[in-house]
Amino acid sequence: MKKLTPLLIAACAVLLLAAPPFLKNYGIYLLSYWLVFVIATMGLNLTVGYAGQKSLGHAAFFGIGAYTVAIMMKAGLSFWVGLPAAALICFFVGIALGFPALRVQTIYLAFATLGFNTAVWLVMRNEEWLTGGTFGINNIARPSLAGFSLEGNLAYYYFVLGTAVLLGGLQWGLLRSPWGKAFTALRDNPIRAESLGINTRSYTLLSFAIGAVYAGIAGVLFASLVQFIEPAPFTVGASIMMYLMVVVGGPGYFLGPLLGSAVGVILPEWLRFAQAWYLFVFGAAVVLLMIWLPDGLLSIPDRIKAKRQAREASAARAAAAQQQGAK
């Protein structure tokens, strides 16, 4: 799988660059929407797939990013001020949320982040003076870049694509740095990681903070994409869906968010022909997938390789036993 990853990335890049001009506006919008969730789940994959933490509060950071840029632009500030501000706020809130990870693990940590998501959503819904409550914030403008307007769907799509590539490249470098190795060690065996001198406290906080930054940036892009935000997209259900995207794609696989977000965003659109049954079909497909592929879609090559190696090892043992019996 590791040898195929660069080829898959190159193929996806060519397709994503060449296909959109031939699509209608809704197709371009849907691809942009998908890329927003690719960015968000890249952050969650770092927290869940690489650092081994269970988080059900990712939609809260997604919403914090969206509301930060919307409120700042409503106050007359630029998108380019709101974007780094949202990332910084999510970083520090992620550090604050990471502290429960130092005391609780597994399902208890999931409950802690779920409670955080609920609290943030209640603020979004009830503090009308700040967030607009259920009426939301509308007329969120799309930015300009170097004097070029990104108002059009195609132009904004390429902006989101460029942002996704940039953030993906940063994460690729991070995962191959000593930090990335420490995250993986923390996931595989925290006690052994600590015995090797890895500061588990610092790396746990860092995984939450970086994952939160990715979600916050995705929220900023989402706000300008839809140009209207209200609390509904940032519920606990949205966090569960993001977690599902990571699990379906393959936690701990670099391209997992790419495939998992496609299943969560694009597949439901393809199933709309089933009308009232499409949610049932989608849910049943995900359940069957989790039964047969608990490590996600991208684990298929590794499972095939493991089965082949098991057959070869079994054949080698049988041959060795046969030779021993002949002697």
Side-chain angles (χ1 to χ4, degrees):
M1 184 65 200
K2 291 181 179 179
K3 294 181 180 179
L4 290 175
T5 297
L7 295 176
L8 289 173
I9 292 174
C12 289
V14 171
L15 184 63
L16 291 173
L17 284 170
F22 301 98
L23 299 176
K24 296 181 180 179
N25 278 334
Y26 182 70
I28 297 171
Y29 170 84
L30 190 61
L31 282 179
S32 301
Y33 194 84
W34 166 61
L35 285 172
V36 165
F37 277 90
V38 169
I39 295 172
T41 52
M42 272 197 286
L44 186 58
N45 190 36
L46 179 65
T47 304
V48 174
Y50 288 99
Q53 305 299 322
K54 301 294 185 289
S55 174
L56 291 178
H58 211 60
F61 296 112
F62 189 63
I64 289 171
Y67 272 99
T68 297
V69 75
I71 291 168
M72 294 184 74
M73 291 180 72
K74 187 178 179 181
L77 297 174
S78 168
F79 173 91
W80 300 108
V81 175
L83 177 61
L88 283 174
I89 290 172
C90 288
F91 180 82
F92 289 113
V93 174
I95 289 178
L97 179 62
F99 278 106
L102 307 178
R103 298 181 179 275
V104 295
Q105 294 293 327
T106 61
I107 192 66
Y108 302 104
L109 176 59
F111 284 140
T113 53
L114 186 149
F116 167 76
N117 200 146
T118 302
V120 170
W121 178 79
L122 287 172
V123 170
M124 293 174 183
R125 190 188 69 174
N126 296 327
E127 300 302 321
E128 295 186 5
W129 64 274
L130 181 65
T131 65
T134 55
F135 296 100
I137 301 175
N138 57 13
N139 298 323
I140 303 171
R142 292 178 181 174
S144 297
L145 181 62
F148 182 74
S149 174
L150 301 176
E151 188 66 31
N153 284 339
L154 187 60
Y156 193 75
Y157 162 78
Y158 282 118
F159 169 64
V160 176
L161 176 62
T163 305
V165 170
L166 175 62
L167 293 174
L170 290 174
Q171 189 174 101
W172 180 275
L174 174 66
L175 293 174
R176 275 144 190 81
S177 72
W179 287 5
K181 304 301 181 185
F183 287 144
T184 304
L186 181 64
R187 174 196 64 191
D188 294 341
N189 193 323
I191 297 175
R192 184 175 62 185
E194 192 168 8
S195 70
L196 293 174
I198 294 173
N199 189 330
T200 56
R201 178 186 297 266
S202 298
Y203 282 101
T204 300
L205 291 176
L206 195 60
S207 71
F208 269 97
I210 297 175
V213 168
Y214 273 72
I217 293 173
V220 170
L221 298 174
F222 173 78
S224 286
L225 173 65
V226 300
Q227 300 183 299
F228 168 78
I229 57 169
E230 47 96 18
F234 314 116
T235 61
V236 170
S239 286
I240 294 172
M241 178 57 76
M242 290 183 188
Y243 192 93
L244 180 66
M245 291 177 188
V246 172
V247 172
V248 167
Y253 289 90
F254 182 76
L255 295 180
L258 202 70
L259 190 55
S261 296
V263 172
V265 173
I266 297 177
L267 182 60
E269 293 295 322
W270 289 347
L271 293 175
R272 286 190 183 276
F273 71 90
Q275 298 180 1
W277 287 93
Y278 92 95
L279 284 176
F280 173 79
V281 174
F282 175 71
V286 170
V287 169
L288 291 175
L289 178 64
M290 290 298 95
I291 292 173
W292 295 106
L293 290 171
D295 294 325
L297 290 169
L298 289 181
S299 68
I300 293 175
D302 291 338
R303 288 168 66 92
I304 294 173
K305 181 180 178 181
K307 288 182 178 179
R308 185 178 67 249
Q309 290 176 341
R311 287 196 301 267
E312 291 173 353
S314 178
R317 286 193 299 268
Q322 187 176 9
Q323 289 177 358
Q324 188 68 24
K327 290 180 181 180

